[in-house]
Amino acid sequence: MILKSTNIEEKLRRRQSLDGQEHSILEQVENILALENKKEFKIELELRSSNNSHSNAFKFDLLASENIYHINTIKTICINYRLRFLDTKYFKNDFPQEAFSKIKALEKAHDTMLHGFKIMAPSKVFKLKNPDDPLLFAPIGNGYYYLIHTWGNDLHPLRKWLIWPFKNLETLVFTALIVSFMTTYIFNASLLTDGINGSKFLILFLFMFKSVIGVIIFYAFSQGKNFNTAIWDSQYAK
């Protein structure tokens, strides 16, 4: 007697038929998907809303300590890398599906609905479609924020140094002095043959410094630029 091989898919279908789920399975799946879509719609509304909540009812035993950051730490990084830390309502890009999944998981685990979301990202992502390394936070309270999700591309490895001159007034003046000195040295051809002429070098240096400052001021006014310390949490300044 030759035994017939078992078709597990056929067994699965028969079991489902016996359990009385054959006609209701699509309805169940549809209801589950509708519920998930409803949750994501509520989260999207919250992300795009003007809710200025400064805390959420987290269960602290369930939080990952490495994802908790104080506002002073966030401010320092924003200033060093010329980033913004703004309400998510100012974020012009689409939020990734992973962010929604993590928010839903947090809300389920902590039995709460999250409010007051913040985004840390370069200024341009609040105006243009550009996915450069946004970080999504939710407030815990007392100046602490919980990092929910990071997506997009990493920042340029030299970004911190490229934008360092615009960190504050002191760094801008220091940069102008260095650029002026180097430019003066390059253009003062007599340094190579006649030696350093102190008065001549000083006059040329002051002229170069004045020119560099003039270019910086013109660029700053024409582009509406401001220092990192002034824009890190501003939705208006560039």
Side-chain angles (χ1 to χ4, degrees), residues 146-181:
Y146 190 75
L147 176 61
I148 296 176
H149 184 56
T150 304
W151 69 97
N153 304 319
D154 290 336
L155 297 176
H156 192 282
L158 298 179
R159 179 183 177 88
K160 180 179 179 179
W161 306 110
L162 291 175
I163 54 85
W164 184 81
F166 302 100
K167 183 176 180 179
N168 51 48
L169 181 60
E170 290 78 11
T171 57
L172 184 63
V173 172
F174 181 79
T175 301
L177 287 171
I178 295 299
V179 172
S180 300
F181 180 85

PDB file of all heavy atoms in Angstrom, residues 146-181:
ATOM      1  N   TYR A 146      12.897  61.865  24.598  1.00  0.00           N
ATOM      2  CA  TYR A 146      13.151  60.464  24.262  1.00  0.00           C
ATOM      3  C   TYR A 146      13.274  60.323  22.756  1.00  0.00           C
ATOM      4  O   TYR A 146      12.373  60.709  22.013  1.00  0.00           O
ATOM      5  CB  TYR A 146      12.017  59.581  24.775  1.00  0.00           C
ATOM      6  CG  TYR A 146      12.323  58.094  24.688  1.00  0.00           C
ATOM      7  CD1 TYR A 146      13.203  57.501  25.583  1.00  0.00           C
ATOM      8  CD2 TYR A 146      11.755  57.292  23.709  1.00  0.00           C
ATOM      9  CE1 TYR A 146      13.502  56.148  25.517  1.00  0.00           C
ATOM     10  CE2 TYR A 146      12.037  55.936  23.622  1.00  0.00           C
ATOM     11  CZ  TYR A 146      12.922  55.372  24.543  1.00  0.00           C
ATOM     12  OH  TYR A 146      13.205  54.033  24.468  1.00  0.00           O
ATOM     13  N   LEU A 147      14.411  59.788  22.300  1.00  0.00           N
ATOM     14  CA  LEU A 147      14.651  59.581  20.871  1.00  0.00           C
ATOM     15  C   LEU A 147      13.866  58.362  20.397  1.00  0.00           C
ATOM     16  O   LEU A 147      14.103  57.245  20.859  1.00  0.00           O
ATOM     17  CB  LEU A 147      16.139  59.382  20.603  1.00  0.00           C
ATOM     18  CG  LEU A 147      16.540  59.050  19.162  1.00  0.00           C
ATOM     19  CD1 LEU A 147      16.129  60.168  18.210  1.00  0.00           C
ATOM     20  CD2 LEU A 147      18.052  58.804  19.077  1.00  0.00           C
ATOM     21  N   ILE A 148      12.943  58.587  19.455  1.00  0.00           N
ATOM     22  CA  ILE A 148      12.083  57.506  18.964  1.00  0.00           C
ATOM     23  C   ILE A 148      12.663  56.842  17.720  1.00  0.00           C
ATOM     24  O   ILE A 148      12.760  55.619  17.641  1.00  0.00           O
ATOM     25  CB  ILE A 148      10.670  58.050  18.650  1.00  0.00           C
ATOM     26  CG1 ILE A 148      10.007  58.561  19.933  1.00  0.00           C
ATOM     27  CG2 ILE A 148       9.797  56.973  17.998  1.00  0.00           C
ATOM     28  CD1 ILE A 148       8.651  59.205  19.704  1.00  0.00           C
ATOM     29  N   HIS A 149      13.084  57.686  16.765  1.00  0.00           N
ATOM     30  CA  HIS A 149      13.508  57.096  15.485  1.00  0.00           C
ATOM     31  C   HIS A 149      14.425  58.056  14.738  1.00  0.00           C
ATOM     32  O   HIS A 149      14.269  59.279  14.804  1.00  0.00           O
ATOM     33  CB  HIS A 149      12.279  56.787  14.624  1.00  0.00           C
ATOM     34  CG  HIS A 149      12.595  56.084  13.338  1.00  0.00           C
ATOM     35  ND1 HIS A 149      13.286  54.904  13.282  1.00  0.00           N
ATOM     36  CD2 HIS A 149      12.316  56.413  12.041  1.00  0.00           C
ATOM     37  CE1 HIS A 149      13.425  54.523  12.022  1.00  0.00           C
ATOM     38  NE2 HIS A 149      12.853  55.419  11.258  1.00  0.00           N
ATOM     39  N   THR A 150      15.412  57.480  14.042  1.00  0.00           N
ATOM     40  CA  THR A 150      16.331  58.225  13.176  1.00  0.00           C
ATOM     41  C   THR A 150      16.269  57.629  11.787  1.00  0.00           C
ATOM     42  O   THR A 150      16.234  56.416  11.640  1.00  0.00           O
ATOM     43  CB  THR A 150      17.779  58.127  13.694  1.00  0.00           C
ATOM     44  OG1 THR A 150      17.830  58.592  15.041  1.00  0.00           O
ATOM     45  CG2 THR A 150      18.718  58.963  12.833  1.00  0.00           C
ATOM     46  N   TRP A 151      16.239  58.483  10.761  1.00  0.00           N
ATOM     47  CA  TRP A 151      16.205  57.966   9.392  1.00  0.00           C
ATOM     48  C   TRP A 151      16.937  58.916   8.457  1.00  0.00           C
ATOM     49  O   TRP A 151      17.406  59.968   8.867  1.00  0.00           O
ATOM     50  CB  TRP A 151      14.761  57.745   8.915  1.00  0.00           C
ATOM     51  CG  TRP A 151      13.935  58.986   8.699  1.00  0.00           C
ATOM     52  CD1 TRP A 151      13.714  59.644   7.526  1.00  0.00           C
ATOM     53  CD2 TRP A 151      13.201  59.724   9.697  1.00  0.00           C
ATOM     54  NE1 TRP A 151      12.884  60.723   7.714  1.00  0.00           N
ATOM     55  CE2 TRP A 151      12.554  60.793   9.035  1.00  0.00           C
ATOM     56  CE3 TRP A 151      13.017  59.578  11.068  1.00  0.00           C
ATOM     57  CZ2 TRP A 151      11.751  61.712   9.709  1.00  0.00           C
ATOM     58  CZ3 TRP A 151      12.222  60.492  11.736  1.00  0.00           C
ATOM     59  CH2 TRP A 151      11.602  61.545  11.048  1.00  0.00           C
ATOM     60  N   GLY A 152      17.049  58.524   7.195  1.00  0.00           N
ATOM     61  CA  GLY A 152      17.708  59.378   6.208  1.00  0.00           C
ATOM     62  C   GLY A 152      19.204  59.128   6.148  1.00  0.00           C
ATOM     63  O   GLY A 152      19.723  58.128   6.651  1.00  0.00           O
ATOM     64  N   ASN A 153      19.923  60.048   5.537  1.00  0.00           N
ATOM     65  CA  ASN A 153      21.357  59.925   5.334  1.00  0.00           C
ATOM     66  C   ASN A 153      22.130  60.572   6.476  1.00  0.00           C
ATOM     67  O   ASN A 153      21.652  61.515   7.109  1.00  0.00           O
ATOM     68  CB  ASN A 153      21.764  60.600   4.014  1.00  0.00           C
ATOM     69  CG  ASN A 153      21.001  60.026   2.835  1.00  0.00           C
ATOM     70  OD1 ASN A 153      20.791  58.821   2.745  1.00  0.00           O
ATOM     71  ND2 ASN A 153      20.562  60.903   1.941  1.00  0.00           N
ATOM     72  N   ASP A 154      23.350  60.080   6.726  1.00  0.00           N
ATOM     73  CA  ASP A 154      24.211  60.704   7.719  1.00  0.00           C
ATOM     74  C   ASP A 154      24.687  62.060   7.212  1.00  0.00           C
ATOM     75  O   ASP A 154      24.733  62.313   6.011  1.00  0.00           O
ATOM     76  CB  ASP A 154      25.424  59.820   8.008  1.00  0.00           C
ATOM     77  CG  ASP A 154      25.033  58.564   8.766  1.00  0.00           C
ATOM     78  OD1 ASP A 154      23.987  58.595   9.442  1.00  0.00           O
ATOM     79  OD2 ASP A 154      25.763  57.563   8.667  1.00  0.00           O
ATOM     80  N   LEU A 155      25.069  62.920   8.163  1.00  0.00           N
ATOM     81  CA  LEU A 155      25.590  64.235   7.797  1.00  0.00           C
ATOM     82  C   LEU A 155      26.989  64.094   7.206  1.00  0.00           C
ATOM     83  O   LEU A 155      27.696  63.118   7.446  1.00  0.00           O
ATOM     84  CB  LEU A 155      25.635  65.139   9.025  1.00  0.00           C
ATOM     85  CG  LEU A 155      24.293  65.464   9.691  1.00  0.00           C
ATOM     86  CD1 LEU A 155      24.531  66.284  10.953  1.00  0.00           C
ATOM     87  CD2 LEU A 155      23.381  66.217   8.739  1.00  0.00           C
ATOM     88  N   HIS A 156      27.392  65.105   6.446  1.00  0.00           N
ATOM     89  CA  HIS A 156      28.739  65.126   5.873  1.00  0.00           C
ATOM     90  C   HIS A 156      29.759  65.091   7.008  1.00  0.00           C
ATOM     91  O   HIS A 156      29.608  65.792   8.012  1.00  0.00           O
ATOM     92  CB  HIS A 156      28.925  66.398   5.038  1.00  0.00           C
ATOM     93  CG  HIS A 156      30.149  66.386   4.193  1.00  0.00           C
ATOM     94  ND1 HIS A 156      31.405  66.627   4.715  1.00  0.00           N
ATOM     95  CD2 HIS A 156      30.326  66.165   2.863  1.00  0.00           C
ATOM     96  CE1 HIS A 156      32.302  66.562   3.751  1.00  0.00           C
ATOM     97  NE2 HIS A 156      31.678  66.273   2.617  1.00  0.00           N
ATOM     98  N   PRO A 157      30.824  64.283   6.886  1.00  0.00           N
ATOM     99  CA  PRO A 157      31.790  64.157   7.985  1.00  0.00           C
ATOM    100  C   PRO A 157      32.489  65.462   8.361  1.00  0.00           C
ATOM    101  O   PRO A 157      32.976  65.611   9.482  1.00  0.00           O
ATOM    102  CB  PRO A 157      32.799  63.128   7.441  1.00  0.00           C
ATOM    103  CG  PRO A 157      32.607  63.130   5.960  1.00  0.00           C
ATOM    104  CD  PRO A 157      31.146  63.432   5.741  1.00  0.00           C
ATOM    105  N   LEU A 158      32.542  66.426   7.435  1.00  0.00           N
ATOM    106  CA  LEU A 158      33.195  67.713   7.716  1.00  0.00           C
ATOM    107  C   LEU A 158      32.200  68.819   8.038  1.00  0.00           C
ATOM    108  O   LEU A 158      32.592  69.982   8.160  1.00  0.00           O
ATOM    109  CB  LEU A 158      34.055  68.130   6.510  1.00  0.00           C
ATOM    110  CG  LEU A 158      35.207  67.193   6.138  1.00  0.00           C
ATOM    111  CD1 LEU A 158      35.945  67.730   4.928  1.00  0.00           C
ATOM    112  CD2 LEU A 158      36.162  67.011   7.312  1.00  0.00           C
ATOM    113  N   ARG A 159      30.924  68.457   8.186  1.00  0.00           N
ATOM    114  CA  ARG A 159      29.895  69.484   8.391  1.00  0.00           C
ATOM    115  C   ARG A 159      30.191  70.358   9.609  1.00  0.00           C
ATOM    116  O   ARG A 159      30.048  71.578   9.560  1.00  0.00           O
ATOM    117  CB  ARG A 159      28.522  68.834   8.546  1.00  0.00           C
ATOM    118  CG  ARG A 159      27.401  69.849   8.797  1.00  0.00           C
ATOM    119  CD  ARG A 159      26.047  69.192   9.013  1.00  0.00           C
ATOM    120  NE  ARG A 159      25.013  70.170   9.320  1.00  0.00           N
ATOM    121  CZ  ARG A 159      24.286  70.803   8.416  1.00  0.00           C
ATOM    122  NH1 ARG A 159      24.482  70.562   7.127  1.00  0.00           N
ATOM    123  NH2 ARG A 159      23.374  71.677   8.761  1.00  0.00           N
ATOM    124  N   LYS A 160      30.615  69.731  10.725  1.00  0.00           N
ATOM    125  CA  LYS A 160      30.867  70.482  11.952  1.00  0.00           C
ATOM    126  C   LYS A 160      31.887  71.584  11.719  1.00  0.00           C
ATOM    127  O   LYS A 160      31.749  72.699  12.252  1.00  0.00           O
ATOM    128  CB  LYS A 160      31.345  69.532  13.051  1.00  0.00           C
ATOM    129  CG  LYS A 160      31.643  70.227  14.373  1.00  0.00           C
ATOM    130  CD  LYS A 160      32.076  69.229  15.431  1.00  0.00           C
ATOM    131  CE  LYS A 160      32.387  69.932  16.741  1.00  0.00           C
ATOM    132  NZ  LYS A 160      32.799  68.970  17.806  1.00  0.00           N
ATOM    133  N   TRP A 161      32.934  71.301  10.929  1.00  0.00           N
ATOM    134  CA  TRP A 161      34.001  72.268  10.704  1.00  0.00           C
ATOM    135  C   TRP A 161      33.642  73.251   9.594  1.00  0.00           C
ATOM    136  O   TRP A 161      34.074  74.411   9.641  1.00  0.00           O
ATOM    137  CB  TRP A 161      35.293  71.526  10.379  1.00  0.00           C
ATOM    138  CG  TRP A 161      35.626  70.519  11.438  1.00  0.00           C
ATOM    139  CD1 TRP A 161      35.587  69.156  11.338  1.00  0.00           C
ATOM    140  CD2 TRP A 161      35.983  70.805  12.789  1.00  0.00           C
ATOM    141  NE1 TRP A 161      35.909  68.572  12.534  1.00  0.00           N
ATOM    142  CE2 TRP A 161      36.161  69.558  13.444  1.00  0.00           C
ATOM    143  CE3 TRP A 161      36.181  71.982  13.517  1.00  0.00           C
ATOM    144  CZ2 TRP A 161      36.516  69.466  14.787  1.00  0.00           C
ATOM    145  CZ3 TRP A 161      36.533  71.896  14.854  1.00  0.00           C
ATOM    146  CH2 TRP A 161      36.704  70.649  15.483  1.00  0.00           C
ATOM    147  N   LEU A 162      32.857  72.811   8.623  1.00  0.00           N
ATOM    148  CA  LEU A 162      32.464  73.713   7.541  1.00  0.00           C
ATOM    149  C   LEU A 162      31.538  74.813   8.036  1.00  0.00           C
ATOM    150  O   LEU A 162      31.553  75.935   7.510  1.00  0.00           O
ATOM    151  CB  LEU A 162      31.780  72.911   6.424  1.00  0.00           C
ATOM    152  CG  LEU A 162      32.685  71.956   5.634  1.00  0.00           C
ATOM    153  CD1 LEU A 162      31.855  71.136   4.657  1.00  0.00           C
ATOM    154  CD2 LEU A 162      33.759  72.739   4.887  1.00  0.00           C
ATOM    155  N   ILE A 163      30.706  74.505   9.022  1.00  0.00           N
ATOM    156  CA  ILE A 163      29.768  75.516   9.533  1.00  0.00           C
ATOM    157  C   ILE A 163      30.260  76.144  10.839  1.00  0.00           C
ATOM    158  O   ILE A 163      29.573  76.979  11.418  1.00  0.00           O
ATOM    159  CB  ILE A 163      28.352  74.920   9.730  1.00  0.00           C
ATOM    160  CG1 ILE A 163      28.358  73.667  10.598  1.00  0.00           C
ATOM    161  CG2 ILE A 163      27.724  74.590   8.379  1.00  0.00           C
ATOM    162  CD1 ILE A 163      28.300  73.906  12.061  1.00  0.00           C
ATOM    163  N   TRP A 164      31.470  75.753  11.294  1.00  0.00           N
ATOM    164  CA  TRP A 164      32.016  76.292  12.546  1.00  0.00           C
ATOM    165  C   TRP A 164      32.096  77.825  12.559  1.00  0.00           C
ATOM    166  O   TRP A 164      31.795  78.436  13.583  1.00  0.00           O
ATOM    167  CB  TRP A 164      33.403  75.691  12.800  1.00  0.00           C
ATOM    168  CG  TRP A 164      34.004  76.102  14.112  1.00  0.00           C
ATOM    169  CD1 TRP A 164      33.755  75.583  15.336  1.00  0.00           C
ATOM    170  CD2 TRP A 164      34.964  77.153  14.304  1.00  0.00           C
ATOM    171  NE1 TRP A 164      34.493  76.218  16.287  1.00  0.00           N
ATOM    172  CE2 TRP A 164      35.245  77.197  15.693  1.00  0.00           C
ATOM    173  CE3 TRP A 164      35.601  78.051  13.463  1.00  0.00           C
ATOM    174  CZ2 TRP A 164      36.141  78.103  16.237  1.00  0.00           C
ATOM    175  CZ3 TRP A 164      36.490  78.964  13.997  1.00  0.00           C
ATOM    176  CH2 TRP A 164      36.771  78.989  15.380  1.00  0.00           C
ATOM    177  N   PRO A 165      32.492  78.479  11.464  1.00  0.00           N
ATOM    178  CA  PRO A 165      32.550  79.951  11.488  1.00  0.00           C
ATOM    179  C   PRO A 165      31.211  80.603  11.844  1.00  0.00           C
ATOM    180  O   PRO A 165      31.193  81.732  12.365  1.00  0.00           O
ATOM    181  CB  PRO A 165      32.976  80.306  10.056  1.00  0.00           C
ATOM    182  CG  PRO A 165      33.720  79.102   9.589  1.00  0.00           C
ATOM    183  CD  PRO A 165      33.002  77.941  10.188  1.00  0.00           C
ATOM    184  N   PHE A 166      30.090  79.942  11.582  1.00  0.00           N
ATOM    185  CA  PHE A 166      28.784  80.545  11.834  1.00  0.00           C
ATOM    186  C   PHE A 166      28.204  80.141  13.183  1.00  0.00           C
ATOM    187  O   PHE A 166      27.040  80.396  13.469  1.00  0.00           O
ATOM    188  CB  PHE A 166      27.809  80.143  10.721  1.00  0.00           C
ATOM    189  CG  PHE A 166      28.269  80.538   9.347  1.00  0.00           C
ATOM    190  CD1 PHE A 166      28.860  79.620   8.503  1.00  0.00           C
ATOM    191  CD2 PHE A 166      28.140  81.844   8.919  1.00  0.00           C
ATOM    192  CE1 PHE A 166      29.304  79.987   7.247  1.00  0.00           C
ATOM    193  CE2 PHE A 166      28.571  82.233   7.656  1.00  0.00           C
ATOM    194  CZ  PHE A 166      29.165  81.301   6.815  1.00  0.00           C
ATOM    195  N   LYS A 167      29.041  79.505  14.021  1.00  0.00           N
ATOM    196  CA  LYS A 167      28.569  79.057  15.325  1.00  0.00           C
ATOM    197  C   LYS A 167      28.146  80.239  16.191  1.00  0.00           C
ATOM    198  O   LYS A 167      27.075  80.233  16.813  1.00  0.00           O
ATOM    199  CB  LYS A 167      29.671  78.250  16.018  1.00  0.00           C
ATOM    200  CG  LYS A 167      29.270  77.658  17.352  1.00  0.00           C
ATOM    201  CD  LYS A 167      30.395  76.796  17.902  1.00  0.00           C
ATOM    202  CE  LYS A 167      30.001  76.190  19.244  1.00  0.00           C
ATOM    203  NZ  LYS A 167      31.090  75.333  19.788  1.00  0.00           N
ATOM    204  N   ASN A 168      28.991  81.283  16.255  1.00  0.00           N
ATOM    205  CA  ASN A 168      28.670  82.503  17.008  1.00  0.00           C
ATOM    206  C   ASN A 168      29.551  83.642  16.488  1.00  0.00           C
ATOM    207  O   ASN A 168      30.354  83.454  15.568  1.00  0.00           O
ATOM    208  CB  ASN A 168      28.852  82.296  18.520  1.00  0.00           C
ATOM    209  CG  ASN A 168      30.214  81.716  18.865  1.00  0.00           C
ATOM    210  OD1 ASN A 168      31.239  82.194  18.375  1.00  0.00           O
ATOM    211  ND2 ASN A 168      30.236  80.672  19.694  1.00  0.00           N
ATOM    212  N   LEU A 169      29.428  84.812  17.079  1.00  0.00           N
ATOM    213  CA  LEU A 169      30.172  85.987  16.616  1.00  0.00           C
ATOM    214  C   LEU A 169      31.674  85.789  16.772  1.00  0.00           C
ATOM    215  O   LEU A 169      32.455  86.187  15.898  1.00  0.00           O
ATOM    216  CB  LEU A 169      29.724  87.229  17.389  1.00  0.00           C
ATOM    217  CG  LEU A 169      30.397  88.556  17.004  1.00  0.00           C
ATOM    218  CD1 LEU A 169      30.146  88.881  15.545  1.00  0.00           C
ATOM    219  CD2 LEU A 169      29.896  89.687  17.907  1.00  0.00           C
ATOM    220  N   GLU A 170      32.088  85.173  17.888  1.00  0.00           N
ATOM    221  CA  GLU A 170      33.513  84.987  18.142  1.00  0.00           C
ATOM    222  C   GLU A 170      34.168  84.092  17.075  1.00  0.00           C
ATOM    223  O   GLU A 170      35.250  84.405  16.580  1.00  0.00           O
ATOM    224  CB  GLU A 170      33.726  84.373  19.537  1.00  0.00           C
ATOM    225  CG  GLU A 170      33.412  85.305  20.694  1.00  0.00           C
ATOM    226  CD  GLU A 170      31.924  85.442  20.956  1.00  0.00           C
ATOM    227  OE1 GLU A 170      31.153  84.653  20.364  1.00  0.00           O
ATOM    228  OE2 GLU A 170      31.533  86.334  21.734  1.00  0.00           O
ATOM    229  N   THR A 171      33.514  83.002  16.729  1.00  0.00           N
ATOM    230  CA  THR A 171      34.090  82.097  15.728  1.00  0.00           C
ATOM    231  C   THR A 171      34.124  82.748  14.351  1.00  0.00           C
ATOM    232  O   THR A 171      35.034  82.497  13.561  1.00  0.00           O
ATOM    233  CB  THR A 171      33.289  80.777  15.653  1.00  0.00           C
ATOM    234  OG1 THR A 171      31.907  81.064  15.369  1.00  0.00           O
ATOM    235  CG2 THR A 171      33.376  80.011  16.961  1.00  0.00           C
ATOM    236  N   LEU A 172      33.133  83.602  14.075  1.00  0.00           N
ATOM    237  CA  LEU A 172      33.105  84.288  12.783  1.00  0.00           C
ATOM    238  C   LEU A 172      34.252  85.289  12.669  1.00  0.00           C
ATOM    239  O   LEU A 172      34.948  85.347  11.637  1.00  0.00           O
ATOM    240  CB  LEU A 172      31.764  85.002  12.604  1.00  0.00           C
ATOM    241  CG  LEU A 172      31.546  85.680  11.242  1.00  0.00           C
ATOM    242  CD1 LEU A 172      31.538  84.640  10.133  1.00  0.00           C
ATOM    243  CD2 LEU A 172      30.228  86.456  11.239  1.00  0.00           C
ATOM    244  N   VAL A 173      34.487  86.067  13.723  1.00  0.00           N
ATOM    245  CA  VAL A 173      35.578  87.047  13.718  1.00  0.00           C
ATOM    246  C   VAL A 173      36.923  86.330  13.643  1.00  0.00           C
ATOM    247  O   VAL A 173      37.821  86.755  12.899  1.00  0.00           O
ATOM    248  CB  VAL A 173      35.512  87.938  14.979  1.00  0.00           C
ATOM    249  CG1 VAL A 173      36.753  88.817  15.072  1.00  0.00           C
ATOM    250  CG2 VAL A 173      34.263  88.810  14.944  1.00  0.00           C
ATOM    251  N   PHE A 174      37.076  85.239  14.389  1.00  0.00           N
ATOM    252  CA  PHE A 174      38.330  84.472  14.361  1.00  0.00           C
ATOM    253  C   PHE A 174      38.598  83.933  12.958  1.00  0.00           C
ATOM    254  O   PHE A 174      39.729  84.006  12.458  1.00  0.00           O
ATOM    255  CB  PHE A 174      38.263  83.332  15.368  1.00  0.00           C
ATOM    256  CG  PHE A 174      39.516  82.511  15.429  1.00  0.00           C
ATOM    257  CD1 PHE A 174      40.629  82.955  16.116  1.00  0.00           C
ATOM    258  CD2 PHE A 174      39.582  81.276  14.772  1.00  0.00           C
ATOM    259  CE1 PHE A 174      41.794  82.196  16.160  1.00  0.00           C
ATOM    260  CE2 PHE A 174      40.738  80.511  14.815  1.00  0.00           C
ATOM    261  CZ  PHE A 174      41.851  80.974  15.511  1.00  0.00           C
ATOM    262  N   THR A 175      37.567  83.407  12.321  1.00  0.00           N
ATOM    263  CA  THR A 175      37.715  82.889  10.959  1.00  0.00           C
ATOM    264  C   THR A 175      38.095  84.004   9.994  1.00  0.00           C
ATOM    265  O   THR A 175      38.953  83.826   9.115  1.00  0.00           O
ATOM    266  CB  THR A 175      36.407  82.231  10.491  1.00  0.00           C
ATOM    267  OG1 THR A 175      36.064  81.174  11.389  1.00  0.00           O
ATOM    268  CG2 THR A 175      36.553  81.663   9.089  1.00  0.00           C
ATOM    269  N   ALA A 176      37.471  85.168  10.155  1.00  0.00           N
ATOM    270  CA  ALA A 176      37.782  86.311   9.295  1.00  0.00           C
ATOM    271  C   ALA A 176      39.237  86.736   9.466  1.00  0.00           C
ATOM    272  O   ALA A 176      39.914  87.092   8.487  1.00  0.00           O
ATOM    273  CB  ALA A 176      36.843  87.471   9.601  1.00  0.00           C
ATOM    274  N   LEU A 177      39.733  86.699  10.706  1.00  0.00           N
ATOM    275  CA  LEU A 177      41.130  87.065  10.962  1.00  0.00           C
ATOM    276  C   LEU A 177      42.081  86.088  10.287  1.00  0.00           C
ATOM    277  O   LEU A 177      43.077  86.497   9.659  1.00  0.00           O
ATOM    278  CB  LEU A 177      41.390  87.093  12.471  1.00  0.00           C
ATOM    279  CG  LEU A 177      40.774  88.272  13.239  1.00  0.00           C
ATOM    280  CD1 LEU A 177      40.915  88.047  14.746  1.00  0.00           C
ATOM    281  CD2 LEU A 177      41.429  89.593  12.831  1.00  0.00           C
ATOM    282  N   ILE A 178      41.789  84.782  10.402  1.00  0.00           N
ATOM    283  CA  ILE A 178      42.649  83.768   9.799  1.00  0.00           C
ATOM    284  C   ILE A 178      42.653  83.894   8.271  1.00  0.00           C
ATOM    285  O   ILE A 178      43.720  83.857   7.632  1.00  0.00           O
ATOM    286  CB  ILE A 178      42.186  82.352  10.205  1.00  0.00           C
ATOM    287  CG1 ILE A 178      42.363  82.150  11.701  1.00  0.00           C
ATOM    288  CG2 ILE A 178      42.954  81.291   9.430  1.00  0.00           C
ATOM    289  CD1 ILE A 178      43.788  82.266  12.178  1.00  0.00           C
ATOM    290  N   VAL A 179      41.475  84.052   7.682  1.00  0.00           N
ATOM    291  CA  VAL A 179      41.372  84.186   6.224  1.00  0.00           C
ATOM    292  C   VAL A 179      42.105  85.444   5.755  1.00  0.00           C
ATOM    293  O   VAL A 179      42.813  85.431   4.737  1.00  0.00           O
ATOM    294  CB  VAL A 179      39.895  84.218   5.790  1.00  0.00           C
ATOM    295  CG1 VAL A 179      39.777  84.562   4.300  1.00  0.00           C
ATOM    296  CG2 VAL A 179      39.232  82.877   6.069  1.00  0.00           C
ATOM    297  N   SER A 180      41.941  86.530   6.505  1.00  0.00           N
ATOM    298  CA  SER A 180      42.596  87.790   6.137  1.00  0.00           C
ATOM    299  C   SER A 180      44.113  87.658   6.208  1.00  0.00           C
ATOM    300  O   SER A 180      44.837  88.148   5.329  1.00  0.00           O
ATOM    301  CB  SER A 180      42.125  88.907   7.077  1.00  0.00           C
ATOM    302  OG  SER A 180      40.725  89.077   6.987  1.00  0.00           O
ATOM    303  N   PHE A 181      44.610  86.990   7.255  1.00  0.00           N
ATOM    304  CA  PHE A 181      46.054  86.817   7.397  1.00  0.00           C
ATOM    305  C   PHE A 181      46.616  85.976   6.252  1.00  0.00           C
ATOM    306  O   PHE A 181      47.642  86.330   5.651  1.00  0.00           O
ATOM    307  CB  PHE A 181      46.351  86.147   8.743  1.00  0.00           C
ATOM    308  CG  PHE A 181      47.819  85.932   8.974  1.00  0.00           C
ATOM    309  CD1 PHE A 181      48.607  86.941   9.506  1.00  0.00           C
ATOM    310  CD2 PHE A 181      48.418  84.720   8.649  1.00  0.00           C
ATOM    311  CE1 PHE A 181      49.973  86.744   9.708  1.00  0.00           C
ATOM    312  CE2 PHE A 181      49.774  84.515   8.845  1.00  0.00           C
ATOM    313  CZ  PHE A 181      50.560  85.532   9.375  1.00  0.00           C
TER     314      PHE A 181
END
